[in-house]
């Protein structure tokens, strides 16, 4: 049994208090090429995954949205338009370099009025309880040290009737696709990372972190354990990615 004071960093076993710094170093390294790498490694399909997340979020004018692990702001930008001037979107990331990249992008696009930027750890959210109508975390939960702690924290800051959406890499639903995906992830993806960002190891960690992330049913169970109800998930691209949704009732 794994010592309770250790956790996974990809396939490596590390001390719990070491993981956040290791993850931070990964995103410090790739921040300025983050958008380009997303397009290259997903062949642009990440835009469709995020669009589907927006479509099932139920977010509308005047609501409050918390976008965790916001990266460079693909989801935040769309939510900003949906909630309008009377709504609010919190653009949040644990990594300062990513947060600054996202803030610069939003300012360049003229999105300022209803967006607020907060550097925060998803495990320890600095927001009032029962505050948000929707919380999203896109491609970030797998990097969190204690995923259950983060899901519990999200539950607390959602108002009754609010919902959580987790967009994350998941487990392919058929063996041929899984084998092809493994070949791409461990052979090609790190090489693309080396060419574009000069950092092969960060993208090797990415592939490993995806494999260590809970599968669809396990993550659904974690959400139910936190108190979420009517939990479901949507497999996209054959389960390479899944969107999990749950409600605080």
């Amino acid at each position: 049994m794994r010592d309770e004071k250790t956790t996974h960093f990809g396939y490596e076993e590390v001390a719990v208090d070491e993981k956040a710094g290791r993850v931070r170093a990964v995103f410090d390294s790739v921040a300025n090429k983050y958008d380009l790498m997303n397009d290259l490694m997903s062949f642009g399909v990440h835009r469709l995954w995020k669009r589907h997340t927006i479509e099932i979020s139920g977010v509308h004018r005047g609501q409050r949205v918390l976008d965790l692990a916001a990266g460079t702001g693909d989801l935040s930008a769309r939510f900003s338009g949906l909630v309008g001037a009377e709504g609010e979107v919190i653009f949040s990331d644990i990594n300062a370099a990513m947060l600054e990249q996202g803030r610069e992008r939003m300012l360049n696009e003229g999105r300022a009025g209803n967006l607020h930027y907060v550097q925060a750890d998803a495990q320890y959210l600095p927001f009032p309880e029962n505050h948000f109508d929707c919380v999203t975390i896109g491609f970030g939960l797998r990097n969190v040290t204690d995923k259950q702690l983060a899901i519990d924290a999200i539950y607390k800051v959602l108002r009754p009737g609010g919902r959580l959406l987790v967009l994350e890499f998941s487990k392919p639903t058929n063996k041929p696709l899984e084998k092809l995906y493994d070949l791409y992830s461990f052979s090609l993806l790190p090489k693309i990372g080396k060419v574009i960002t000069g950092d092969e190891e960060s993208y090797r960690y990415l592939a490993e972190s995806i494999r260590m992330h809970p599968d669809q049913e396990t993550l659904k169970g974690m959400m139910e354990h936190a108190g979420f109800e009517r939990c479901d998930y949507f497999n996209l691209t054959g389960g390479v990615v899944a969107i999990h949704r749950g409600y605080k009732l």
Side-chain angles (χ1 to χ4, degrees):
M1 180 179 291
R2 190 205 313 164
D3 189 297
E4 64 181 3
K5 294 183 180 179
T6 66
T7 188
H8 292 293
F9 177 77
Y11 289 161
E12 187 180 352
E13 197 88 359
V14 299
V16 165
D17 58 5
E18 182 184 339
K19 179 170 179 176
R22 298 278 294 271
V23 171
R24 186 179 303 114
V26 166
F27 287 93
D28 282 346
S29 174
V30 305
N32 65 342
K33 298 288 187 181
Y34 184 78
D35 287 331
L36 176 60
M37 277 300 298
N38 278 349
D39 282 330
L40 289 174
M41 69 185 185
S42 74
F43 307 102
V45 180
H46 74 98
R47 299 176 186 274
L48 299 178
W49 298 332
K50 290 167 183 172
R51 182 184 303 170
H52 192 62
T53 304
I54 297 292
E55 288 172 350
I56 68 171
S57 70
V59 168
H60 55 77
R61 187 166 293 275
Q63 291 196 321
R64 290 185 183 130
V65 178
L66 171 60
D67 183 18
L68 293 168
T72 55
D74 285 346
L75 293 177
S76 289
R78 292 175 172 86
F79 285 131
S80 176
L82 287 174
V83 303
E86 58 269 50
E88 179 185 46
V89 177
I90 302 296
F91 184 122
S92 181
D93 203 290
I94 193 174
N95 183 271
M98 291 302 304
L99 194 64
E100 183 56 32
Q101 287 284 326
R103 183 175 181 275
E104 183 176 338
R105 176 187 168 191
M106 295 299 100
L107 291 173
N108 288 341
E109 293 180 1
R111 302 177 187 274
N114 60 6
L115 276 166
H116 304 280
Y117 303 90
V118 178
Q119 186 175 356
D121 184 335
Q123 300 170 113
Y124 309 103
L125 295 175
F127 307 108
E129 293 188 12
N130 304 313
H131 187 71
F132 294 101
D133 298 285
C134 181
V135 177
T136 58
I137 181 165
F139 301 112
L141 185 61
R142 72 180 185 281
N143 296 313
V144 174
T145 302
D146 189 329
K147 297 172 182 61
Q148 188 66 62
L149 186 61
I151 295 170
D152 292 346
I154 291 168
Y155 184 85
K156 289 178 182 177
V157 301
L158 276 168
R159 68 167 183 81
R163 56 268 179 216
L164 164 65
L165 289 105
V166 180
L167 172 64
E168 188 55 89
F169 293 108
S170 199
K171 306 299 180 187
T173 54
N174 68 75
K175 288 295 181 182
L177 177 60
E178 185 175 17
K179 290 180 180 179
L180 183 63
Y181 185 43
D182 281 346
L183 180 65
Y184 166 74
S185 298
F186 290 102
S187 299
L188 185 58
L189 179 58
K191 301 302 181 187
I192 297 173
K194 183 177 181 180
V195 170
I196 300 300
T197 71
D199 185 349
E200 182 173 352
E201 286 307 308
S202 288
Y203 286 92
R204 192 172 307 282
Y205 160 73
L206 169 65
E208 293 176 357
S209 70
I210 291 169
R211 298 313 183 279
M212 299 304 295
H213 187 66
D215 63 20
Q216 288 91 326
E217 284 294 324
T218 302
L219 182 53
K220 180 184 176 185
M222 292 170 70
M223 291 171 63
E224 290 171 340
H225 184 268
F228 285 99
E229 299 185 42
R230 293 168 50 197
C231 295
D232 57 1
Y233 59 84
F234 307 85
N235 284 320
L236 307 177
T237 316
V240 168
V241 163
I243 305 170
H244 282 71
R245 180 176 59 183
Y247 295 85
K248 179 177 180 177
L249 300 179

